[in-house]
Amino acid sequence: MKSRFLSDYGMVFVLLLLCAFFSVVTYSEQSPTGEAAAKQVSADIQAQMGKNPRVLIAASDQPGDAAFAARLERDLTASGAQVLATVKGEPKDAREALLKIQTSGGKLDAIACTKVTGAWLVFSDFKADFPTLGAPRLITPRSYRWPNFLKSENLLNIANQIAVIAIVAIGMTLVIITGGIDLSVGSLLALSSVLAGIFIRDFAGGAEASPGGMLLACLVAVLLCGVVGAFSGAMITQFDIPPFIVTLAMMLVGSGFAYILAKGQSVYQIPDSFVWLGRGADMFSLPNAVVLMLVLYALAHMVMSRMKLGRYIYAVGGNREAARLSGVPVRRVLMFAYVAGALLAGVGGVIIASQLKSGSPTYGNMYELYVIAAVVVGGTSLSGGEGKMFGTLIGAFTIAVIQNGMNLTNVESYTQKVVLGLVILGAVLLDKLRRR
């Protein structure tokens, strides 16, 4: 019972331990930015200055600082404070604003700044340079300590970055459970992105394409990838060619077609609205790609745990001859697995094209290895007949967390490859030891 529990949920604990480790090593001092910083500074000014304080707001011209200045000016004005000037630029702009206030005979009670602008030298010798302005307090956002790893934007970034690999890994899980392998998914991903871009550019109106036209173009691109998967499945089931050889050949064919169709260039004549799938966030502020990933995993879990097709897939991977003698349509099951894997690779290509607003034959490079790694780390046996969709999802997030954590701790890319290779080897070794 204990062994079964660890087998099913051991990777969850590994993932939680990794999250805890990277949370500890990235624990550092933080400062709020943007509108969150503006709310805090506004509250501090009202608490310390009382009613109608005279305030100078100083921010840089960066987008986050611009949001800080706009929100702070709005909140202070609403509370009755007098905003004598709002600076959005460089130290020289702050000096000019202070000189204007001094020339007009005004006085200051507070200078509201971000952490960066609060360190400007123009404010360090304030009394000597602007003696008639009084002794205003320099108020900046209060610091706090929190792990960089657990920042909401970082967690969403992890989920968004792993969405494509996790989606393609659904199909790879089906294939590996049947006892096969598919090396063509990375090339099909690139081919799908190129086909979607070309169809949108040449047939849907290019940069002026409608949502319906873009949807149709993407569906055709995904279906054509499914045709490639059907060809691979036919070669494997009808001619008994090893899946490794067939999918290796289709990896080269898919990549070659992607380069031929795109003429070695990126296809970028795509509307701005096309990024909705890859970059947009509508439901609970989750990226749309992540929502799609979760929906697909829920459907795959239902297929594998509640439907006859799922039992057939496990039976084929466990013992193909016994499954055939039991009446399982082995060839059709294998065809389903390879077609589903190709279709999901096509979906992944559309998502990448949406994220990067272009199609390119270079997309998907090495993705087949990352996808296989996610499946294996998630507990699916390379011998076939064993694996869970939930485990694959955990495996994908485990790899993403390791990569993200190493990036946050400034581990060089070469060392990251060594670590990921050892993780994959360790996952396979554990599978073998568990079977013994």
Side-chain angles (χ1 to χ4, degrees), residues 4-16 162 166-167 169-171 173-174 177 293-305 314 373-380 386-399:
R4 181 69 179 178
F5 181 82
L6 289 176
S7 174
D8 289 344
Y9 301 104
M11 284 308 301
V12 177
F13 294 115
V14 171
L15 179 59
L16 292 176
I162 202 60
I167 287 172
I170 295 174
T173 303
L174 298 175
I177 289 177
M293 175 193 75
L294 296 175
V295 170
L296 290 174
Y297 266 91
L299 293 174
H301 174 74
M302 291 294 294
V303 169
M304 297 301 289
S305 63
Y314 282 114
V375 176
V376 172
V377 170
T380 298
E386 185 176 347
K388 293 181 181 294
M389 287 297 167
F390 177 70
T392 295
L393 182 61
I394 295 300
F397 271 99
T398 299
I399 291 174

Side-chain angles (χ1 to χ4, degrees), residues 37-109:
K39 290 181 182 179
Q40 187 188 101
V41 170
S42 175
D44 288 347
I45 290 175
Q46 294 176 44
Q48 298 177 28
M49 303 284 101
K51 294 184 178 181
N52 304 321
R54 293 159 294 189
V55 183
L56 168 73
I57 298 174
S60 69
D61 55 2
Q62 298 300 313
D65 281 10
F68 165 85
R71 178 60 185 266
L72 182 57
E73 183 175 3
R74 187 166 64 249
D75 288 355
L76 289 176
T77 302
S79 68
Q82 301 177 49
V83 179
L84 300 185
T86 299
V87 176
K88 299 177 185 177
E90 302 176 357
K92 64 178 183 178
D93 301 312
R95 180 174 294 277
E96 291 176 3
L98 290 169
L99 288 172
K100 286 182 180 179
I101 296 172
Q102 181 174 257
T103 302
S104 64
K107 289 186 177 295
L108 281 174
D109 298 310

Side-chain angles (χ1 to χ4, degrees), residues 2-326:
K2 182 178 179 181
S3 175
R4 181 69 179 178
F5 181 82
L6 289 176
S7 174
D8 289 344
Y9 301 104
M11 284 308 301
V12 177
F13 294 115
V14 171
L15 179 59
L16 292 176
L17 286 174
L18 285 170
C19 291
F21 172 75
F22 287 120
S23 296
V24 170
V25 298
T26 60
Y27 191 74
S28 60
E29 186 174 299
Q30 311 286 343
S31 294
T33 58
E35 294 195 359
K39 290 181 182 179
Q40 187 188 101
V41 170
S42 175
D44 288 347
I45 290 175
Q46 294 176 44
Q48 298 177 28
M49 303 284 101
K51 294 184 178 181
N52 304 321
R54 293 159 294 189
V55 183
L56 168 73
I57 298 174
S60 69
D61 55 2
Q62 298 300 313
D65 281 10
F68 165 85
R71 178 60 185 266
L72 182 57
E73 183 175 3
R74 187 166 64 249
D75 288 355
L76 289 176
T77 302
S79 68
Q82 301 177 49
V83 179
L84 300 185
T86 299
V87 176
K88 299 177 185 177
E90 302 176 357
K92 64 178 183 178
D93 301 312
R95 180 174 294 277
E96 291 176 3
L98 290 169
L99 288 172
K100 286 182 180 179
I101 296 172
Q102 181 174 257
T103 302
S104 64
K107 289 186 177 295
L108 281 174
D109 298 310
I111 301 175
C113 305
T114 64
K115 275 292 182 183
V116 174
T117 58
W120 284 354
L121 292 178
V122 67
F123 301 131
S124 60
D125 296 325
F126 190 87
K127 290 184 178 180
D129 294 339
F130 309 100
T132 63
L133 290 181
R137 296 183 186 178
L138 190 68
I139 299 179
T140 59
R142 297 188 302 276
S143 299
Y144 62 95
R145 297 189 69 80
W146 186 256
N148 285 323
F149 177 80
L150 291 181
K151 285 183 176 180
S152 59
E153 57 267 28
N154 184 61
L155 296 177
L156 286 176
N157 182 52
I158 291 174
N160 205 30
Q161 286 185 338
I162 202 60
V164 172
I165 290 176
I167 287 172
V168 180
I170 295 174
M172 187 65 75
T173 303
L174 298 175
V175 170
I176 291 179
I177 289 177
T178 64
I181 197 75
D182 191 348
L183 301 179
S184 66
V185 292
S187 295
L188 292 181
L189 190 149
L191 180 61
S192 175
S193 75
V194 168
L195 287 172
I198 289 175
F199 290 148
I200 291 173
R201 181 191 67 189
D202 296 344
F203 303 106
E208 304 300 325
S210 66
M214 289 187 287
L215 176 61
L216 183 59
C218 293
L219 286 175
V220 174
V222 171
L223 290 175
L224 288 175
C225 288
V227 171
V228 177
F231 179 82
S232 297
M235 292 294 103
I236 293 166
T237 57
Q238 300 300 321
F239 299 98
D240 291 327
I241 304 176
F244 181 89
I245 300 300
V246 173
T247 57
L248 177 62
M250 297 315 297
M251 176 181 74
L252 298 174
V253 170
S255 178
F257 269 125
Y259 275 97
I260 291 170
L261 292 171
K263 298 179 180 179
Q265 305 293 322
S266 294
V267 182
Y268 55 85
Q269 295 85 350
I270 295 174
D272 292 337
S273 58
F274 185 64
V275 303
W276 175 84
L277 177 60
R279 302 183 200 171
D282 293 332
M283 187 179 296
F284 307 116
S285 297
L286 286 174
N288 293 326
V290 176
V291 174
L292 177 60
M293 175 193 75
L294 296 175
V295 170
L296 290 174
Y297 266 91
L299 293 174
H301 174 74
M302 291 294 294
V303 169
M304 297 301 289
S305 63
R306 303 293 182 185
M307 296 177 65
K308 186 193 303 184
L309 176 59
R311 294 194 294 272
Y312 284 173
I313 290 171
Y314 282 114
V316 170
N319 190 318
R320 188 172 300 184
E321 182 61 19
R324 186 186 66 81
L325 294 174
S326 300

